[in-house]
Amino acid sequence: MPHRTESDSRRLLRRLRDALAEAGAGQERLDRITTIIADSMRTEVCSVYLFRDAQTLELCATEGLNPEAVHKTRLKLGEGLVGRVARNARPVNTPNAPDERGFRFMPETGEEVFSSFLGVPIQRLGERLGVLVVQSKDARTFTEDEVYALEVVAMVLAEMTELGAFVGEGAALAPLHKHPALLRGVCAQEGVAEGQVWLHEPRVSITRLVNDDSEAETARLRAAVEKLRVSVDDLLRVARSADKEHLEVLQTYRMFAHSRGWLKRMEENVMLGLSAEAAVEKEQSAARARLETVPDAYLRDRLHDLDDLSNRLLRLLTGQGNDTGAEMPERPILVARNIGPGELLDYGRKLRGIVLEEGAVGSHATIVARALAIPLVINVPRITTDALNGDHIMIDGSEGQVHLRPEDSVASAFRDKMAMQAKAQERYASLRDLPAEARCGTRVRLMMNAGLMADLPSLKGSGAEGVGLFRTELQFLVRSTVPRRSELVALYARVLDSAQGQRVAFRTLDIGSDKVMPYMKRPDEPNPAMGWRAIRVGLDKSGVLRMQVQALIRAAAGRPLTVMFPLVAQMSEFEAARAILMREMERERRLGHVLPARVEVGVMLETPSLAFAPDSFFELVDFISVGGNDLKQFFFAADRENELVRRRYDTLSTSFITFLQQIVARCVASGTPLSFCGEDAGRPLDALAMAAIGLGTLSMRPASVGPVKALIRRAHLGEVAEVIARAQVRGLETARPALLDYAASLD
Ligand code: PEP
Ligand code: MG
């Protein structure tokens, strides 16, 4: 066997390219390609197996095996050597195939006479499409160069397959990435949606795979890498003051961009005849295949970084930006690795749904998606690699499910679900002007949570009686600079205008924890949720708090004003914050501004400590709103952002309910108005239980008002309280099952 040279590979790639350029049906071309490869590799056999469905490979073309077996021989994923290559996405190279573990003899192919076997995966950016195999009679181990050369050929094949070049009449070719897939993630905003995939960062499409002059192509690659290095260095210079994680990512980018190994591997690809962009993509594919098998999350993140860097390089080489000229589909469902709140706001209400590979339940993007009531599923593995622009996609935010390219039966079941939800929405809409009055005659006040101007049209539509929580930090989060006071005045005034006299509880800035503003320097904290956040920042750096309070006073312009302070842990913090507000009132008065008709100053009860504050605290505050999201995380010592621990503890656990009852009792004793504004208030059963223990005002996202009202109107709060009391007496850990039974018994 003569040694395989670079020029052999280049010649092979050119022949492949020419074969592709010829007219003819897909099958003929594929046959011709196997002939060319067998000839060039000096083997008797070359076969192409492609995925028919996610689990089955089909022999689709062969040179050397029995042609009768084409489109008949099928293998399961993992079955035989071919199945093993497909499953592990790694080559199998053996001089004696029949002796190899897992070998499966397929008599119909006539392959028993062939001893040596080399199979490599056909994959594109981690999408597995099939397996390319060469076999020969003599028992030889293929050299590393040969394996490498066959991988390069497989890469070119992968591109061709995606272009649909082989899909001839009646051929059962269906590359894996075109298969239906059910992907599971985590619910971040409920709701169902159907539409087409719209990639936030569209793939770079590569049309030129083979080079004509390897020297010139290498120079092109090097020039692009140099540009990339300069741009990463520039980014690093600008980002000096950015947060630590951002810097870390950029430093990793820099490390990769300057990595000799990376450039060397790409240069080798070019020397074998690939174009510079195809060479980059081949390395990217290999990295993605490795990514799947790496158990270490940190390393996986680094490989992600390499992936991002490869995309940058591809954009430099092809000159393609994010705007590919593709038109946004009519019902776009955004698919992205991650997205910032500002970018999400740019898309606005156009989006029907959002699917993120990363993301967090409490992230800014999630908060914005909620404000816009767009169904959102996060932590969906592989979505950015599996989904292609325009793919049919259905998402169920409540269940955290994503159906990509669903089969007809799945799609129609899904549509039934959508129709049922739409019907339920209609029912809720019919309740809009009715009070949330239980059977026993007790009325519950349902308010809504808001944070963006975009929320406010919901105030009317949802049937809420006001805004129980206006998260003012969202305005700060979605901008790149601190808003000016005059802007805030205009914004708050608009909020009050559109509330038309209904109460709006403005919560002062709750920054820190996961809500980080790019323009604000922050200390590096080991535990940000329990760190320098919310009112702690407000009191230590009172400039922003003062500015915000001034804006609120001016915006009220004689109307009543409601302000509350977040994460107050002890009485003195409330006193200090209230004193700031009062001083600003006095100052505004001196400056000649009209003061609000009435000012209510309240707190968010978000730390257990505040529930045990002295009686005088309960008398001093005008109202208390329980911030259940934070209160629950501190009560159970379970991070609200951590999916591993968050779900272990139930709001309806008897311990948490008992704690809430103690808060209710203290407020009743002091005559302090009390409400609850955490996310759980929007879950009908949880809301029902809260109302039954005396939390008479609940604030929730607008879409929850209808479902909560519907359940309350069917229930008898005294009976609910009894169900809870029984669970407590019996020493049950949670009252949820009993409450579920009760709700199911209602007509
Ligand atoms: C809460 O903690 O329950 C709350 C309403 O505030 P946020 O979710 O903004 O922390
Ligand atoms: Mg909170």
Side-chain angles (χ1 to χ4, degrees), residues 640-658:
R640 63 192 263 191
E641 299 297 318
N642 182 341
E643 294 302 317
L644 260 182
V645 299
R646 185 180 70 84
R647 293 152 182 255
R648 302 172 92 97
Y649 307 102
D650 190 359
T651 313
L652 296 182
S653 78
T654 43
S655 61
F656 193 59
I657 292 183
T658 306

Side-chain angles (χ1 to χ4, degrees), residues 469 471 473 507 510 515 533 604 606 626-631 640 677-679:
L469 165 65
R471 290 180 162 107
E473 63 277 4
R507 172 176 78 182
D510 181 5
K515 298 174 193 155
R533 55 172 286 206
M604 304 262 306
E606 304 189 272
V626 175
N629 305 337
D630 275 311
L631 185 64
R640 63 192 263 191
C677 65
E679 294 301 308

